[in-house]
Amino acid sequence: MAKFLFVVSLALISVGIWLFLNAQTPGFPPQLDPNEWWGPLELRGKTDASIKPFEIRFGQEMIRDLKERLKNHREVMPPLEDVGFEYGFNSKQLDPWVKYWAEEYKFQEREKFFNKFPQFKTNIQGLDIHFIRVKPQVPAGVTTVPLLLMHGWPGSVREFYEAIPLLTKKADGYDFVFEVIVPSLPGYGFSDAAVRPGLGAGQMGVIFKNLMNRLGHKQYYVQGGDWGAGIGSSMATMFQNEVLGFHSNMLFVQNGWTSFKTMIGAFFPSLVVEPHLADRMYPLSRYFAYVLEEFGYFHLQATKPDTVGVALSDSPSGLLAYILEKFSTWTRFEHRSLKDGGLSYRFSKEQLIDNLMVYWSTNSITTSMRLYAETMSNKNRALGIDGYTTTVPTWALQAKNELFYQPPNILSSKFSNLLGVTVLDHGGHFLAFELPELFAKDVYKAVKAFKDSMMFRILLAVLVALVAVILVPLSYLYLKPAPPLPDIDLHEWWGSEILKDSVTEEIKPFKVQFSESMVKDLKERLRDRHPLAPPLEGVAFEYGFNSKQLETWLKYWAEEYPFRERENFFNKYPHFKTNIQGLDIHFIRVKPNVPAGTEVVPLLLLHGWPGSVREFYEAIPLLTAVSKDRNFAIELIVPSLPGYGFSSAAVRAGLGADKMAVVIRNLMQRLGFKKYYVQGGDWGSLIGKLMATFFPEEILGYHTNMPFPMSPWYTISTVLGSIFPSLVISADLQDRMYPLSKIYSNLLEETGYMHLQSTKPDTIGVALSDSPAGLAAYMLEKFSTWTRKQHRNLQDGGLTYRFTKDQLLDNVMVYFSTNSMTSAMRLYAESFNARYASLRLDEIPSPVPTISIQAKNELFYAPTWAITKKFPNLIRNTALGDGGHFLAFELPELFAKDVLKAIGEFRAWHKNNKTEL
């Protein structure tokens, strides 16, 4: 054992030394094209370089439309009982904000407030860039120095209005005062958006360097937070002879060496951070949990900005919830536990609505979110701008409640001339907005230090991967004994406590109905939707749902979708409801007509998100058909998951996939099925897997079209396989798992929604409930890229490759007609959390005979050996040469054929193993 520990320690030391010695990228940072054109090509060479005065205007038509939308916002899903902002914006708090915006916010007065500082526009590289420029009155003996102030998302130039007078007025003890230039980032508020892809943080740095040069400043100081910090960091790296000093209230360094050092600090904090600040970085488990909680928006906006942008552009109440929620938890994380989100802790309603007006009045939320996708693109990340050291004098201002903290010894690995760090015991992410006096005072202090410093500059860079000690945790995790099966409460109540003693076990017929009032409201919302941001030139579905294509879908939905005909279609199969554990559970039940001698066996079909029972309509007659080639026929039970469509939602927190498995199992018991087969994909796959884990004596066989091991040892094995693929998967299937860069890149691209729904479902739920256009974009985009990822490059997204418009809109109608999108998305938050993870349910083997089929275009592939770790009685694992995520919906014949075959194989397995069918 001593030898083993010595080898591990030596490996860690060696990796650390190697990372430290390779922490610098030789050479100079990339030189971006200073004249790259981001505007319409037909205007190239025709724009002038003049600087024109500009005034912010809130047009009467815009105000009228806004007020109508606010007053007509759709009823939102009520929050769960005893919940603050833990699930995102608490919908009970929405109405007071909406009412204030519509009835009390003084539009004309605030318009004048916005124009209190001189505003200008000038065309830089094809874009009309808006900026505020305030020149101070300079007394004798005082010099003026130029300061570029840059905001981030979801902020705007409005963040600096309280700080500007403080920065442009001489402060005691200083012989200089600032000329302040405050631009709107391209695509944000009053600045134009790019018309073609590629405008990331680095390219924005070029635009602002050109802006400062246009204003006559060859050298200047830079301050930035959020995206302003990223852009400022790029400018300090690329233009080291121009940037005199960089002050940031969100300074952050990310590279292999700093990550390694942070990980070491988890064991030895004193090696990394001062003891009194250790709680800002450790324990890492708490920090990573916080990042997961707060960064769902980042994931989604970095992959599908145009998709979520539809809903936020169409719904001012949705935009309000989406943006204001950040001013709650990013000011103090503890605000998430408050009923009102603590929004008035540091801000007035006017201040926050001012900031919203920047986005709404300019319809710029979509274009602003594109910055995430552009900066995180492979092309821009490959530039490696952040991998180079900058010698520009730098100062960090670190608020107590900022999203993350890094000590000076980490920050200095990039900012080699780090002159100072101000560590606050209060304050949050929007520091200039929240504490303008403190902010201005620190900027003065930093610039004085910059002016006094005479440090020379060196180049540095970082690119590392932590691979060395992978085998040790892998062996431990693989051999680690399975956890015990958790206690299962078969009667846990999810409905209203008031009704607990009054519900019955009655099974009642049910019909799907599209009411006249709902259809009328839907058509009006589609007709009166807000103008959509045009897509970038040459872009298909790479940024999410292409708004030009969306128009045709919305027109069809409003004018051609045959509501009554589709209502009748939905009711072609028998529907029922029954109350299980306080929830009215909807289900379809189809019994076959069988001749004598044919055994009827029950099959439970489970859907996922953003699907519904509609996914199975084409497969149902194929599955329930009687064939002379089989000695059995299938009776189908197809429930709507709790909170989805026609099934009611839990009124309190906690209904995760494990608890849902109990609800569905109790439904089968209620219907008289003591033993049955289960099929599931997406969430249906996980719920089916959990039913097989909790109730192995009841499940006769489990068939899934989305098997996925969810355990640490599998993740590490997959990473190891990137070095030796043949250890993990056969050569003919390696392209389904490797190279990891391609697989993970696609997962990052496609799972931003998951991150957001796992952390803030109620926030995005406001917009999706209020905007049918947003709901359609958000849902239909999944039927594009999840059917074939190549569809993202097609102008129409390939949506009609396997589906009709009626089919896809049927599925959207399940969510819209029931207003169930928010409650459906909560399943992510209830299942991807510490409580669920601590159960380690994927590590508990299930003896249930199992069969999996994996479509060619599924989001991921699981090899046979990995599935058998959970299901030792895996009968087969079929890799299909076709199909995508929604297999039953897309290829019902193939799906039904494999399910029928599987049930025959399960029956044979039970016979051979002499088990009781």
Side-chain angles (χ1 to χ4, degrees):
M1 185 64 179
K3 288 183 179 179
F4 173 74
L5 292 175
F6 173 77
V7 171
V8 172
S9 300
L10 185 61
L12 285 169
I13 293 169
S14 300
V15 169
I17 292 172
W18 184 85
L19 288 168
F20 177 75
L21 293 176
N22 288 274
Q24 294 186 1
T25 303
F28 295 91
Q31 300 300 302
L32 301 182
D33 183 355
N35 302 307
E36 188 167 6
W37 192 260
W38 298 106
L41 291 175
E42 62 270 18
L43 298 181
R44 190 164 195 170
K46 300 177 182 179
T47 58
D48 63 53
S50 63
I51 299 170
K52 302 173 183 177
F54 172 77
E55 285 198 352
I56 293 171
R57 289 282 178 256
F58 296 157
Q60 290 302 313
E61 179 59 30
M62 180 274 291
I63 294 171
R64 184 193 62 77
D65 174 69
L66 169 61
K67 288 182 175 181
E68 286 181 358
R69 290 174 184 277
L70 290 169
K71 292 176 180 177
N72 193 37
H73 85 84
R74 201 166 184 229
E75 182 180 351
V76 295
M77 175 68 65
L80 296 166
E81 291 178 358
D82 300 321
V83 163
F85 270 52
E86 293 93 338
Y87 285 67
F89 201 102
N90 188 301
S91 56
K92 278 190 178 178
Q93 298 298 318
L94 185 65
D95 279 341
W97 281 93
V98 168
K99 185 177 186 295
Y100 176 84
W101 196 3
E103 299 176 11
E104 300 175 51
Y105 180 76
K106 300 177 178 64
F107 289 91
Q108 301 312 318
E109 181 181 303
R110 301 315 292 169
E111 180 184 84
K112 291 178 181 178
F113 174 84
F114 268 101
N115 290 303
K116 68 186 290 187
F117 301 122
Q119 319 263 336
F120 303 90
K121 279 194 176 185
T122 188
N123 195 278
I124 305 285
Q125 297 169 246
L127 302 179
D128 282 343
I129 300 299
H130 160 261
F131 61 97
I132 297 168
R133 186 181 192 180
V134 182
K135 297 181 179 181
Q137 298 295 320
V138 182
V142 175
T143 59
T144 299
V145 297
L147 174 65
L148 174 67
L149 288 180
M150 292 187 292
H151 67 83
W153 186 95
S156 66
V157 294
R158 177 61 184 89
E159 293 181 63
F160 300 111
Y161 267 57
E162 285 73 18
I164 288 173
L166 304 173
L167 292 168
T168 52
K169 178 182 177 182
K170 184 184 178 303
D172 291 341
Y174 299 96
D175 61 357
F176 62 91
V177 68
F178 296 105
E179 174 187 339
V180 174
I181 296 92
V182 190
S184 293
L185 303 188
Y188 284 66
F190 312 107
S191 285
D192 284 353
V195 301
R196 63 187 59 83
L199 184 57
Q203 291 80 7
M204 283 194 187
V206 174
I207 287 176
F208 290 134
K209 177 257 193 193
N210 288 340
L211 171 65
M212 295 303 282
N213 291 171
R214 173 78 54 82
L215 299 180
H217 300 305
K218 301 302 181 186
Q219 291 189 309
Y220 43 89
Y221 297 93
V222 175
Q223 197 289 326
D226 197 88
W227 276 115
I231 297 167
S233 176
S234 297
M235 294 178 73
T237 303
M238 295 187 294
F239 312 120
Q240 300 192 36
N241 293 323
E242 293 194 20
V243 179
L244 295 170
F246 174 41
H247 178 277
S248 175
N249 56 294
M250 202 183 83
L251 205 61
F252 188 72
V253 178
Q254 182 62 51
N255 59 53
W257 168 244
T258 58
S259 297
F260 178 78
K261 196 169 185 178
T262 302
M263 295 294 289
I264 289 296
F267 302 98
F268 308 105
S270 60
L271 295 178
V272 177
V273 63
E274 295 175 17
H276 70 287
L277 295 172
D279 64 342
R280 298 197 182 189
M281 294 181 69
Y282 303 109
L284 280 181
S285 58
R286 185 185 65 190
Y287 169 71
F288 288 145
Y290 175 68
V291 169
L292 283 172
E293 184 72 29
E294 291 300 325
F295 275 64
Y297 83 98
F298 190 108
H299 194 164
L300 188 64
Q301 292 171 198
T303 52
K304 309 286 186 178
D306 284 29
T307 293
V308 68
V310 173
L312 300 179
S313 296
D314 196 42
S315 168
S317 55
L319 183 70
L320 184 150
Y322 197 76
I323 287 184
L324 293 197
E325 179 240 305
K326 304 307 176 195
F327 287 87
S328 164
T329 54
W330 290 5
T331 301
R332 288 183 74 223
F333 183 65
E334 294 82 359
H335 285 171
R336 69 195 302 270
S337 302
L338 302 180
K339 294 295 185 183
D340 66 354
L343 283 166
S344 58
Y345 172 67
R346 298 278 195 193
F347 307 110
S348 69
K349 282 187 175 179
E350 269 187 345
Q351 287 179 306
L352 294 179
I353 297 297
D354 281 350
N355 186 63
L356 277 173
M357 283 297 295
V358 173
Y359 286 89
W360 181 261
S361 66
T362 59
N363 196 15
S364 61
I365 189 64
T366 299
T367 54
S368 70
M369 295 190 297
R370 286 175 183 163
L371 178 53
Y372 290 81
E374 302 295 14
T375 304
M376 301 308 295
S377 68
N378 290 334
K379 178 182 177 181
N380 275 326
R381 283 189 289 111
L383 294 174
I385 294 174
D386 286 339
Y388 293 84
T389 301
T390 175
T391 59
V392 167
T394 305
W395 191 283
L397 174 58
Q398 298 176 314
K400 169 71 173 178
N401 300 298
E402 185 51 276
L403 299 174
F404 40 72
Y405 171 82
Q406 286 186 327
N409 62 72
I410 285 181
L411 296 176
S412 59
S413 67
K414 174 172 175 61
F415 303 98
S416 61
N417 200 356
L418 183 69
L419 297 189
V421 176
T422 303
V423 179
L424 302 177
D425 60 2
H426 59 306
H429 183 72
F430 306 96
L431 203 57
F433 204 12
E434 181 186 352
L435 299 168
E437 294 84 0
L438 184 153
F439 171 82
K441 182 179 178 180
D442 201 75
V443 172
Y444 264 107
K445 182 180 178 181
V447 172
K448 184 178 188 303
F450 299 155
K451 289 169 70 69
D452 294 342
S453 73
M454 295 298 293
M455 304 287 289
F456 76 88
R457 304 175 179 186
I458 52 176
L459 293 172
L460 230 223
V462 183
L463 184 60
V464 187
L466 291 171
V467 181
V469 285
I470 197 168
L471 289 175
V472 176
L474 176 62
S475 302
Y476 167 74
L477 291 169
Y478 187 81
L479 298 173
K480 188 178 181 181
L485 195 68
D487 293 333
I488 303 167
D489 184 352
L490 297 178
H491 308 290
E492 191 168 4
W493 191 259
W494 298 107
S496 171
E497 291 289 345
I498 300 172
L499 302 176
K500 196 166 187 177
D501 297 324
S502 61
V503 298
T504 69
E505 296 184 355
E506 183 182 2
I507 298 170
K508 303 175 182 178
F510 171 79
K511 281 192 176 294
V512 175
Q513 292 184 329
F514 297 157
S515 70
E516 291 291 347
S517 60
M518 181 273 292
V519 172
K520 179 178 179 291
D521 176 64
L522 168 60
K523 289 183 175 183
E524 287 177 354
R525 290 176 184 276
L526 291 170
R527 183 194 64 211
D528 297 337
R529 66 184 178 277
H530 206 248
L532 305 178
L536 295 167
E537 289 180 0
V539 165
F541 271 53
E542 293 94 337
Y543 285 66
F545 206 109
N546 186 295
S547 56
K548 280 188 178 178
Q549 296 297 319
L550 183 61
E551 295 285 359
T552 62
W553 282 85
L554 301 183
K555 186 177 186 298
Y556 180 85
W557 195 8
E559 300 175 10
E560 299 177 54
Y561 180 79
F563 289 92
R564 290 295 153 250
E565 179 183 307
R566 301 318 292 172
E567 180 183 81
N568 292 335
F569 174 85
F570 267 102
N571 290 307
K572 68 187 293 187
Y573 302 121
H575 294 251
F576 303 91
K577 279 193 177 184
T578 189
N579 194 279
I580 305 289
Q581 297 169 247
L583 301 178
D584 284 339
I585 301 300
H586 159 263
F587 61 96
I588 296 169
R589 185 177 190 178
V590 182
K591 299 180 180 181
N593 293 315
V594 295
T598 301
E599 183 181 356
V600 176
V601 299
L603 171 64
L604 174 68
L605 287 182
L606 297 172
H607 68 82
W609 185 95
S612 65
V613 293
R614 177 61 184 87
E615 292 180 64
F616 301 112
Y617 265 58
E618 284 73 18
I620 287 173
L622 305 174
L623 290 167
T624 54
V626 177
S627 172
K628 62 181 180 182
D629 298 324
R630 296 189 301 272
N631 62 355
F632 65 90
I634 291 177
E635 176 178 348
L636 281 179
I637 296 86
V638 191
S640 293
L641 300 183
Y644 284 67
F646 312 109
S647 286
S648 61
V651 301
R652 63 188 59 86
L655 185 58
D658 56 324
K659 311 281 190 177
M660 212 170 270
V662 175
V663 171
I664 301 301
R665 176 262 183 186
N666 287 343
L667 169 66
M668 295 302 283
Q669 294 283 309
R670 172 75 52 81
L671 298 180
F673 301 119
K674 303 302 182 186
K675 292 179 181 288
Y676 46 91
Y677 301 93
V678 177
Q679 197 291 326
D682 196 87
W683 279 111
S685 174
L686 180 55
I687 293 167
K689 177 163 58 175
L690 294 172
M691 293 177 73
T693 303
F694 296 153
F695 313 112
E697 298 302 319
E698 298 180 17
I699 312 299
L700 294 169
Y702 168 53
H703 179 280
T704 178
N705 55 292
M706 202 184 83
F708 186 64
M710 297 172 65
S711 60
W713 66 264
Y714 176 65
T715 302
I716 296 176
S717 301
T718 302
V719 173
L720 180 62
S722 65
I723 305 171
F724 307 107
S726 58
L727 295 178
V728 175
I729 190 169
S730 60
D732 61 314
L733 294 172
Q734 283 181 14
D735 65 341
R736 300 200 182 190
M737 292 185 69
Y738 301 106
L740 274 185
S741 59
K742 182 182 73 174
I743 303 300
Y744 284 170
S745 175
N746 186 57
L747 282 177
L748 281 171
E749 186 74 32
E750 294 299 330
T751 55
Y753 81 97
M754 179 185 289
H755 195 160
L756 190 63
Q757 292 171 199
S758 299
T759 53
K760 311 286 186 177
D762 285 30
T763 293
I764 186 61
V766 174
L768 299 180
S769 297
D770 196 42
S771 168
L775 183 70
Y778 199 77
M779 291 178 65
L780 296 187
E781 176 237 302
K782 304 306 175 196
F783 289 85
S784 166
T785 52
W786 290 6
T787 301
R788 288 180 76 227
K789 56 180 174 287
Q790 297 90 333
H791 284 171
R792 68 194 305 267
N793 301 314
L794 301 180
Q795 287 300 315
D796 65 354
L799 282 165
T800 55
Y801 172 68
R802 288 270 167 76
F803 307 111
T804 67
K805 284 186 174 179
D806 280 353
Q807 285 180 309
L808 294 181
L809 290 175
D810 282 350
N811 187 59
V812 177
M813 283 294 295
V814 173
Y815 287 84
F816 186 84
S817 65
T818 59
N819 197 14
S820 61
M821 178 51 82
T822 300
S823 55
M825 294 189 296
R826 284 177 185 161
L827 179 54
Y828 289 80
E830 304 294 13
S831 302
F832 295 124
N833 55 33
R835 178 200 70 81
Y836 183 87
S838 68
L839 300 176
R840 296 167 53 199
L841 295 173
D842 221 58
E843 299 174 43
I844 304 174
S846 170
V848 170
T850 300
I851 287 174
S852 69
I853 57 170
Q854 302 191 63
K856 171 70 173 177
N857 300 299
E858 185 54 275
L859 297 174
F860 39 71
Y861 178 84
T864 300
W865 62 267
I867 302 172
T868 54
K869 177 74 174 171
K870 170 71 178 176
F871 294 105
N873 290 320
L874 181 69
I875 297 173
R876 66 176 166 88
N877 177 34
T878 303
L880 301 175
D882 194 4
H885 183 75
F886 306 96
L887 196 61
F889 204 12
E890 180 188 354
L891 297 170
E893 294 83 2
L894 183 153
F895 171 82
K897 182 178 179 181
D898 199 84
V899 171
L900 291 166
K901 178 183 177 184
I903 292 178
E905 292 169 290
F906 292 147
R907 290 166 65 82
W909 184 90
H910 284 287
K911 182 177 180 181
N912 293 336
N913 288 275
K914 298 181 172 58
T915 61
E916 182 183 351
L917 275 172

